[in-house]
Amino acid sequence: MSRTPSSSSPAASAGAPGQSSVQPVQADPADPAAAAAAARAGEGPSIAGVAERAGVSVATVSRVLNGHDNVRPATRDKVLAAIDASGYRVNELARNLRTAESRLLLTMVPDFGNPFYAEIVRGIDTVARQHGYFMLLCDTGADPGRERSYFDMLRRRRADGAICLDPATIQQALGEASQALPWVACCEFDPAVGVPYVGIDNYRAAGDAVRHLLARGHRRIGLINSDVDYLYARQRQQGYLDALSDAGIEPDPRWRMNLNSLDYEAGATAAAALMQQPDAPSAIFAVSDTLAIGVIHGLRSVGKRVPDDVAVAGFDDISLAAQIDPPLTTIAQPMRELGETAARLLLQRLANPQANVPGVLLPHRLVVRRSA
Amino acid sequence: MSRTPSSSSPAASAGAPGQSSVQPVQADPADPAAAAAAARAGEGPSIAGVAERAGVSVATVSRVLNGHDNVRPATRDKVLAAIDASGYRVNELARNLRTAESRLLLTMVPDFGNPFYAEIVRGIDTVARQHGYFMLLCDTGADPGRERSYFDMLRRRRADGAICLDPATIQQALGEASQALPWVACCEFDPAVGVPYVGIDNYRAAGDAVRHLLARGHRRIGLINSDVDYLYARQRQQGYLDALSDAGIEPDPRWRMNLNSLDYEAGATAAAALMQQPDAPSAIFAVSDTLAIGVIHGLRSVGKRVPDDVAVAGFDDISLAAQIDPPLTTIAQPMRELGETAARLLLQRLANPQANVPGVLLPHRLVVRRSA
DNA sequence: TTGAAAGCGCTAACAC
DNA sequence: GTGTTAGCGCTTTCAA
């Protein structure tokens, strides 16, 4: 990642891309005019105060602030000096109203405590900041009501665009009313909604995981899935089903479980339950690493060794996956890139509202470790 | 995809701002005036459009919008109907400028991928939203430059207040220039900076952990610490040192390590290194659970069993701590409450800038599991 | 190259 | 109760 070799830090220029940096400077405590202006404004001087101090018009100050080049160097210096001396900071509330943009990007996640989302969010944040936007992170808890209310922030102009990681079912409902709103889908998407998206091929990825288990000689393979509200859950389930069928195995419904949570706890409980039945699976495919980690714990709690008694495969390849015992075999998703791509798609859509922004699928990868 | 003149969605067709075409949701596609107005406004009607439609003044609409009670019910209904029919949404950009507040709270964390911070952030978010604020999450990477630039958002009026979870050293530098800015410190704080804070008694907590190890019969106890830039790192180290001394043990410097990361990976590497030396510790106290989990992994990689060969204690009690093998003995921090309290302190400071907001210390708790 | 002035959409005095 | 109006601080024509 290359950085501008100037003195301004990357984030410092973030708020106002392409504008001259305003240095943090102590206001001159002995200047009565500045003091009066400050008192009037409640908080530091306004652009008018700077103009007065520099002996120019507000228009000129604005030009300098925004890095326009039609300002005589001498004038610019005067203005810069006045800005410096007064400790002026641009009021983004005013600028935002005037330019009719908030420079905020909304990111809606079902659960930002989940390490999988955390990494995606980081990708979004990086790209957003590179382009002078800030990211407003919203935890929806996958609740349609909250989802909808956050979405409304777009209409209220509180955010310029949104990235949605919530279930496709929710997006669908949202989509009907909001085709025209500037948003993109990440990980979860319904191509039918007609909204730009980025994700992976969940069907094939799940198949890859199951085929790996099959290659290891397993025939009774369990599936610990999340809520089927999620598109990925349905797609991965289908991938699992078809991979088994293709291997000539009739999938037993008793091997499958649907959970309404991705917590470690949920995985542990489910695994223990799975093992209760006769002819229990000799391998388990969990649709998320957090679930898989819980599964390993649950297995251990009922006296099963991993992978000797039961093999476990996860999904996502969060950083933790390599650290647990045994290290987790899993499907790696390019989390960072997922986030970065989502942000870029959104920015693209913002820059050119009528452009036809595509859906994109990123590659996944099977990572074989010791758990399966 | 081209723009469809027909079936315009309620939101899209909402407009006819500042003009008298009063009609139901469906805009007349053949009305050039409406089209022009919509194009000009770019996005839906303004308060003036609603006023016109309802046959009242903008002041009245504003009153209804803000729930003032000095509006005749009949009038209010008219206005509500007009709002409804036009699909009006308040423009918060304008409102924010007028009221001189952004209703955004900034939260600065060194690393939001860390589950410890994630839970705190959730606490902040909950309280913020209860009070009509949104939370802007900023990952500083504990970089002073980025820290400072985020801080400047307060001065640029982009956020109304901030909660800082970054190292105390950074806060100190910030504090000098920003005593007056509305912010509070969470977890990390320097009482000398004179800023409201919430945290725990790290010194005593670390002592509790070490005393537990001592009680288990360990004499050679290692410390895997983070960067001493963090106040908590220094406090926990002192707690560790004093607990050993109090037990009549001369702490060996070779038992201590300082890491510049809290990643699992870092803990694993450090633990492996610690074990290389003769007379290696029989117990390790890691100042964070993520580190401790890495430590367990690292120990295992050099053939040590936990807790039989080496006992491990962590700090934080993230949800994962109970799930790994062996389950982690750790110091529980009230993460959620930490976040909630921080948010409340900030809100309090915002509501009453000159009030003397206190520093508060929340209780911790030793959680004994199998790792030590 | 610079300045004057018109708003962006909203809230809140201040009148009536 | 309701309307009129003056800005909030900024950007951006349009003239000079």
Side-chain angles (χ1 to χ4, degrees):
Chain A
M1 185 193 304
S2 66
R3 292 253 151 95
T4 332
S6 78
S7 58
S8 58
S9 79
S13 55
Q19 89 162 37
S20 64
S21 60
V22 177
Q23 315 290 339
V25 159
Q26 238 45 311
D28 181 353
D31 183 334
R40 179 166 32 74
E43 310 261 353
S46 77
I47 203 174
V50 174
E52 192 173 352
R53 191 190 271 260
V56 300
S57 74
V58 294
T60 300
V61 177
S62 176
R63 289 188 189 104
V64 172
L65 246 22
N66 293 286
H68 295 183
D69 52 358
N70 53 347
V71 179
R72 201 149 41 90
T75 312
R76 149 169 281 116
D77 289 346
K78 264 195 311 188
V79 172
L80 254 16
I83 288 175
D84 234 57
S86 63
Y88 169 79
R89 291 293 190 297
V90 74
N91 181 331
E92 301 202 18
L93 260 26
R95 173 183 282 173
N96 288 344
L97 171 59
R98 187 50 232 235
T99 59
E101 57 178 15
S102 64
R103 304 222 58 103
L104 246 36
L105 259 30
L106 215 118
T107 298
M108 290 173 285
V109 295
D111 170 20
F112 65 53
N114 189 314
F116 170 64
Y117 291 119
E119 192 59 23
I120 293 178
V121 164
R122 195 176 263 124
I124 296 173
D125 192 49
T126 302
V127 171
R129 216 168 27 238
Q130 279 169 358
H131 292 260
Y133 285 83
F134 286 101
M135 192 198 60
L136 197 55
L137 186 57
C138 299
D139 192 323
T140 63
D143 169 45
R146 267 168 82 174
E147 251 283 359
R148 194 177 307 274
S149 85
Y150 281 131
F151 227 82
D152 215 42
M153 295 175 70
L154 257 26
R155 281 189 268 259
R156 294 199 314 260
R157 320 296 322 238
R158 188 175 262 290
D160 293 341
I163 295 169
C164 182
L165 289 94
D166 271 304
T169 42
I170 296 181
Q171 293 184 17
Q172 210 162 13
L174 252 28
E176 287 165 18
S178 323
Q179 286 273 20
L181 253 27
W183 66 286
V184 304
C186 182
C187 297
E188 281 289 301
F189 56 87
D190 182 344
V193 173
V195 153
Y197 63 84
V198 57
I200 66 162
D201 186 337
N202 286 295
Y203 174 83
R204 208 154 56 73
D208 289 347
V210 172
R211 278 183 288 274
H212 170 74
L213 262 15
L214 288 165
R216 285 285 208 250
H218 296 282
R219 308 286 294 174
R220 300 191 316 283
I221 299 177
L223 174 70
I224 295 196
N225 204 346
S226 74
D227 203 285
V228 285
D229 271 358
Y230 286 89
L231 180 78
Y232 78 79
R234 297 194 298 276
Q235 292 178 331
R236 291 178 198 174
Q237 166 152 322
Q238 200 54 53
Y240 157 89
L241 255 20
D242 289 357
L244 286 187
S245 298
D246 290 351
I249 298 172
E250 173 71 25
D252 188 330
R254 294 174 309 138
W255 299 342
R256 293 202 298 276
M257 300 193 67
N258 283 99
L259 275 31
N260 58 6
S261 159
L262 293 179
D263 290 351
Y264 305 114
E265 205 69 67
T269 312
L274 250 195
M275 287 301 115
Q276 300 307 342
Q277 36 188 324
D279 246 7
S282 69
I284 296 178
F285 170 42
V287 297
S288 107
D289 283 351
T290 52
L291 242 27
I293 288 166
V295 164
I296 290 177
H297 180 63
L299 251 19
R300 195 140 33 208
S301 74
V302 296
K304 300 289 186 187
R305 288 165 310 159
V306 177
D308 312 80
D309 299 330
V310 182
V312 176
F315 205 110
D316 292 342
D317 196 29
I318 59 178
S319 71
L320 184 58
Q323 299 294 325
I324 58 161
D325 180 54
L328 193 63
T329 291
T330 189
I331 297 287
Q333 292 204 59
M335 299 177 279
R336 195 76 172 233
E337 288 76 20
L338 246 14
E340 292 175 348
T341 306
R344 286 210 191 84
L345 289 181
L346 179 57
L347 256 13
Q348 207 173 321
R349 197 171 170 187
L350 251 29
N352 189 352
Q354 36 261 7
N356 211 348
V357 181
V360 0
L361 252 32
L362 263 25
H364 63 271
R365 196 174 93 249
L366 174 69
V367 177
V368 180
R369 299 202 182 90
R370 292 211 312 71
S371 74
Chain B
M1 193 182 291
S2 56
R3 16 200 4 254
T4 69
S6 58
S7 72
S8 41
S9 77
S13 70
Q19 79 154 48
S20 54
S21 65
V22 178
Q23 41 196 301
V25 186
Q26 207 71 307
D28 182 351
D31 182 341
R40 177 165 37 74
E43 310 264 351
S46 76
I47 204 175
V50 175
E52 192 172 355
R53 193 189 271 258
V56 300
S57 75
V58 292
T60 300
V61 176
S62 176
R63 289 188 187 102
V64 171
L65 246 22
N66 293 286
H68 296 183
D69 52 358
N70 52 348
V71 178
R72 199 147 42 90
T75 314
R76 149 170 279 112
D77 290 346
K78 262 196 312 189
V79 172
L80 254 16
I83 288 174
D84 232 57
S86 63
Y88 169 79
R89 291 292 190 298
V90 71
N91 180 332
E92 301 202 17
L93 259 28
R95 172 182 284 175
N96 288 345
L97 171 60
R98 185 51 232 234
T99 60
E101 57 177 16
S102 64
R103 305 223 55 104
L104 246 36
L105 260 30
L106 215 118
T107 298
M108 290 173 284
V109 295
D111 170 19
F112 65 54
N114 188 315
F116 170 65
Y117 291 120
E119 191 60 22
I120 293 178
V121 165
R122 196 177 261 123
I124 295 172
D125 192 49
T126 303
V127 171
R129 215 167 27 240
Q130 279 169 358
H131 292 260
Y133 285 82
F134 286 101
M135 193 200 59
L136 196 55
L137 186 56
C138 298
D139 193 323
T140 64
D143 169 45
R146 266 168 85 174
E147 251 282 358
R148 193 178 306 275
S149 84
Y150 281 132
F151 227 82
D152 216 43
M153 295 175 71
L154 257 27
R155 281 188 269 259
R156 294 199 314 261
R157 320 297 323 236
R158 188 174 261 291
D160 293 341
I163 295 170
C164 182
L165 290 94
D166 270 304
T169 42
I170 296 181
Q171 293 184 17
Q172 211 163 11
L174 251 30
E176 289 165 19
S178 324
Q179 286 273 20
L181 253 25
W183 66 286
V184 304
C186 183
C187 298
E188 280 290 302
F189 56 89
D190 182 344
V193 174
V195 152
Y197 63 83
V198 56
I200 66 161
D201 185 338
N202 286 295
Y203 174 81
R204 207 153 59 71
D208 289 348
V210 172
R211 279 183 288 274
H212 170 74
L213 262 15
L214 288 166
R216 286 286 210 248
H218 296 283
R219 307 285 296 173
R220 300 192 314 285
I221 300 177
L223 173 70
I224 294 196
N225 204 346
S226 74
D227 202 286
V228 284
D229 270 358
Y230 286 90
L231 180 78
Y232 79 79
R234 296 194 299 276
Q235 293 178 330
R236 290 178 199 173
Q237 166 153 318
Q238 201 55 52
Y240 156 88
L241 254 22
D242 289 357
L244 285 187
S245 298
D246 290 351
I249 298 173
E250 173 71 24
D252 187 330
R254 293 174 308 135
W255 298 342
R256 293 202 298 275
M257 299 194 69
N258 283 99
L259 275 33
N260 59 6
S261 158
L262 293 178
D263 290 350
Y264 306 113
E265 206 69 68
T269 311
L274 251 195
M275 288 300 117
Q276 299 308 340
Q277 35 187 324
D279 244 7
S282 69
I284 294 178
F285 169 42
V287 297
S288 110
D289 282 352
T290 51
L291 243 27
I293 288 166
V295 164
I296 290 177
H297 181 61
L299 252 18
R300 194 140 35 208
S301 75
V302 295
K304 301 287 185 188
R305 288 164 310 157
V306 177
D308 311 80
D309 299 329
V310 182
V312 175
F315 205 111
D316 293 343
D317 196 28
I318 59 177
S319 71
L320 183 59
Q323 299 292 324
I324 58 160
D325 181 55
L328 192 64
T329 292
T330 190
I331 297 286
Q333 292 203 61
M335 300 176 278
R336 196 77 171 231
E337 287 77 19
L338 247 12
E340 292 176 347
T341 307
R344 286 208 192 86
L345 289 181
L346 179 58
L347 256 14
Q348 207 173 318
R349 196 171 170 186
L350 251 29
N352 189 352
Q354 36 264 7
N356 210 347
V357 180
V360 0
L361 252 33
L362 263 26
H364 63 271
R365 198 174 92 248
L366 174 70
V367 178
V368 180
R369 298 202 181 91
R370 292 215 323 3
S371 73

